[in-house]
Amino acid sequence: MVEGGINKADKTEFTECWSAVWKTPYIMKLALSAGIGGFLFGYDTGVISGALLYIREDFNDVDEKTWLQETIVSMAVAGAIFGAATGGWLNDKFGRKLSILIADVLFFAGAIIMAVAPAPWVIILGRIFVGLGVGMASMTAPLYISEASPHKIRGALVSTNGFLITGGQFISYLINLAFTHVKGTWRWMLGIAGLPAVIQFLLMITLPESPRWLYRKGKVDEAKEILAKIYSAEEVEEEMQAMKKSIEEEKAIEGSIGSSTFTQIKKAFGNTACRRALYAGICVQVAQQFVGINTVMYYSPTIIQFAGFASNRTAVALSLITSGLNAVGSIVSVAFVDKYGRRRLMIISMLGIISCLVVLSVVFFQASAHAPTISGNESAHFGNATCKAYANSPNPSSWNCMKCLAKDADCGFCSNTNDLYAPGACIAKTDALEGACKAEKRVWYTKGCPSKFGFLAVIFLGLYIIVYSPGMGTIPWVINSEIYPLRFRGIGGGIAAVSNWTSNLIVSLTFLTLTEHLGSSGTFLLFAGFSLLGLVAIFFLVPETKGLQFEEVEKVLQKGYSPFRKNTATKDTSDHKN
């Protein structure tokens, strides 16, 4: 997934990391304890995909109202936007440790609220609480790990947080599968997230505050005491001097650009290099979301049901493919990002994404075109339960399964007794008739129709993740960590992150509505169009930052990047006064 930063780390760093944590286990205790926040981030954004199937079964309003399903899913994203914004203030004011503890309280409260929810609006409330925790964890956990890690292995340790995010998503799908036949299903799926929150809370109580934050607040002795547990005795004083210099530079930068957010944003867009960096940074963050990744991560089981797999358990099981590939892709990215470059990986990734989305559009179109027809005799088999829209249609012979499941018909399709793909029954969508259909060993469909093309949808969803995760899944965060001039790095990264979360909210809040109006085929084709626009924008706006110092990147942007000329970091101070 996707949301949250994954810092780069090379093979040497991982080797040094293993050696360092073997000698000083305390380092890994710090990293993994904070990294549970990343795990919870991944778990709570992934678990809703499977839980939603069973929430629909328990609450008719949710099953009947697409906007309610979208709201349940997307309110965590809305909460994350606010959580990330307030998290920045909390981090600076009260410290990284307290921010993580507050996030744990929010995670736990949200999990319990959802687990006992008597109505859909209570689930939404719980999702908002969880979202606030996600937003805070997405920025605080990597920050704490970064500031409490030896500088030589910082990238490797921060990368563990990125892996824990995708790992959390994968575990959420396993938990979904494990509880499919347990009484309470979705309540267990959502409520179990409270357990790691409690574990992290207890662990963090025993751990220190970030030494950097302590030093900045004038608690120099406390900061030195913590560094002594992380570094060897001869390195502590060196680190203290480096920290002093860095914090003095930070304070000087803050003095030059102002402290108010509005002033910082105004100055950022007024600076030529920073403005071009923002165009590139926002471009890759918005493109990351508008390729449709979180429709797959948040609605994967639902999409698989669209492809013709009616069973909730089967849909959840097949969804493990997408989440597992996403976790693997986050590891693959580390191996290639410094070898092949950021820009090249994103362009290759986008070309693969567009291809997969177009093929998925064709697959869903063919599945719709070849959906089983409706049999009058099969429908009449269930007596007066025949779908009213079908019974009153002037041309019932033109009906097929897709028309039966359309929103204006709002009925269910009961497959043929002997053959899934043969003409079946279109009957009213009620619990009683669903039971009657299943009692005859038939299959009951309400989201998608029986299709011989269904396995192709699963294959290309998997391919989509394979080409997305190592490229567009991780590189936008790497780009945004490298592209901004030092004095604008904080505000630039913040603006780009908000654009990512906002785009995520738009996509997750509209996906099911789009499928109702455009169909699955049209929706994937629309995302292919957005991806094409994103590819064009990346080609023209995003420079290659591989192997460049921050100052060299700034000079390239100051001069103006063009994909049609050789871009070198030559001095050009004509506009540097900005």
Side-chain angles (χ1 to χ4, degrees), residues 397-455:
S397 61
S398 67
W399 277 53
N400 67 6
C401 172
M402 292 300 294
K403 197 163 185 178
C404 176
L405 303 186
K407 187 174 179 62
D408 54 352
D410 195 30
C411 294
F413 179 80
C414 186
S415 70
N416 190 286
T417 310
N418 302 314
D419 184 358
L420 280 178
Y421 310 110
C426 183
I427 54 180
K429 189 167 65 174
T430 66
D431 292 341
L433 287 172
E434 177 183 353
C437 174
K438 292 179 178 178
E440 296 184 8
K441 306 300 181 183
R442 300 171 180 238
V443 182
W444 176 251
Y445 294 87
T446 58
K447 293 298 176 184
C449 296
S451 174
K452 295 179 181 179
F453 299 93
F455 75 98

Side-chain angles (χ1 to χ4, degrees), residues 188-479:
W188 284 102
M189 295 172 182
L190 299 175
I192 206 169
L195 182 59
V198 171
I199 293 172
Q200 184 179 44
F201 187 91
L202 295 174
L203 286 171
M204 288 303 300
I205 287 176
T206 68
L207 294 176
E209 180 52 81
S210 154
R212 185 180 182 84
W213 183 85
L214 289 170
Y215 194 105
R216 190 178 172 93
K217 294 298 180 180
K219 300 178 180 181
V220 179
D221 292 338
E222 290 182 46
K224 188 172 183 178
E225 186 180 336
I226 296 165
L227 289 176
K229 297 180 180 180
I230 299 172
Y231 291 96
S232 61
E234 59 271 16
E235 292 177 310
V236 172
E237 196 57 42
E238 181 184 338
E239 287 301 314
M240 289 292 289
Q241 291 301 317
M243 190 182 297
K244 178 182 178 181
K245 182 181 178 181
S246 175
I247 289 173
E248 286 175 351
E249 289 176 352
E250 273 186 11
K251 290 181 177 178
I253 289 169
E254 289 171 3
S256 68
I257 67 173
S259 57
S260 76
T261 302
F262 178 77
T263 301
Q264 290 179 23
I265 292 174
K266 184 178 178 181
K267 288 193 175 184
F269 277 99
N271 177 276
T272 301
C274 187
R275 182 171 62 252
R276 288 170 177 162
L278 282 166
Y279 292 158
I282 292 172
C283 160
V284 295
Q285 294 286 35
V286 172
Q288 184 192 62
Q289 295 302 319
F290 272 86
V291 300
I293 179 58
N294 281 319
T295 64
V296 177
M297 299 313 298
Y298 297 162
Y299 297 104
S300 184
T302 301
I303 293 172
I304 288 173
Q305 287 190 332
F306 288 159
F309 296 92
S311 164
N312 286 348
R313 184 177 177 82
T314 300
V316 171
L318 290 174
S319 296
L320 278 169
I321 296 172
T322 59
S323 60
L325 289 172
N326 193 37
V328 172
S330 66
I331 301 173
V332 172
S333 176
V334 173
F336 290 103
V337 65
D338 285 322
K339 185 175 182 180
Y340 295 108
R342 293 80 162 116
R343 177 181 164 84
R344 181 184 297 178
L345 278 180
M346 283 194 295
I347 289 174
I348 292 172
S349 181
M350 289 295 277
L351 289 171
I353 287 167
I354 292 168
S355 301
C356 288
L357 288 171
V358 170
V359 173
L360 281 168
S361 177
V362 172
V363 167
F364 278 104
F365 178 80
Q366 290 297 321
S368 176
H370 294 86
T373 57
I374 303 301
S375 164
N377 290 335
E378 286 286 322
S379 300
H381 171 75
F382 292 92
N384 295 327
T386 300
C387 175
K388 290 183 180 179
Y390 169 73
N392 297 330
S393 171
N395 187 21
S397 61
S398 67
W399 277 53
N400 67 6
C401 172
M402 292 300 294
K403 197 163 185 178
C404 176
L405 303 186
K407 187 174 179 62
D408 54 352
D410 195 30
C411 294
F413 179 80
C414 186
S415 70
N416 190 286
T417 310
N418 302 314
D419 184 358
L420 280 178
Y421 310 110
C426 183
I427 54 180
K429 189 167 65 174
T430 66
D431 292 341
L433 287 172
E434 177 183 353
C437 174
K438 292 179 178 178
E440 296 184 8
K441 306 300 181 183
R442 300 171 180 238
V443 182
W444 176 251
Y445 294 87
T446 58
K447 293 298 176 184
C449 296
S451 174
K452 295 179 181 179
F453 299 93
F455 75 98
L456 287 174
V458 176
I459 290 172
F460 279 96
L461 278 174
L463 287 174
Y464 169 87
I465 293 294
I466 289 172
V467 296
Y468 168 86
S469 187
M472 288 306 295
T474 56
I475 305 302
W477 296 102
V478 175
I479 287 287

Side-chain angles (χ1 to χ4, degrees), residues 1-7 37-38 41-42 45 80 84 134-143 158-159 161-163 165-166 169 285 288-289 294 298 330 468 472-481 493 496-498 500-501 504:
M1 146 181 86
V2 259
E3 310 85 355
I6 300 177
N7 284 37
F41 173 0
T45 53
V134 165
M136 292 178 65
S138 69
M139 62 178 304
T140 308
L143 186 61
V158 175
S159 291
N161 184 67
F163 176 70
I165 292 173
T166 53
Q169 290 174 331
Q285 294 286 35
Q288 184 192 62
Q289 295 302 319
N294 281 319
Y298 297 162
S330 66
Y468 168 86
M472 288 306 295
T474 56
I475 305 302
W477 296 102
V478 175
I479 287 287
N480 274 279
S481 72
V498 169
N500 183 284
W501 280 112
N504 185 335

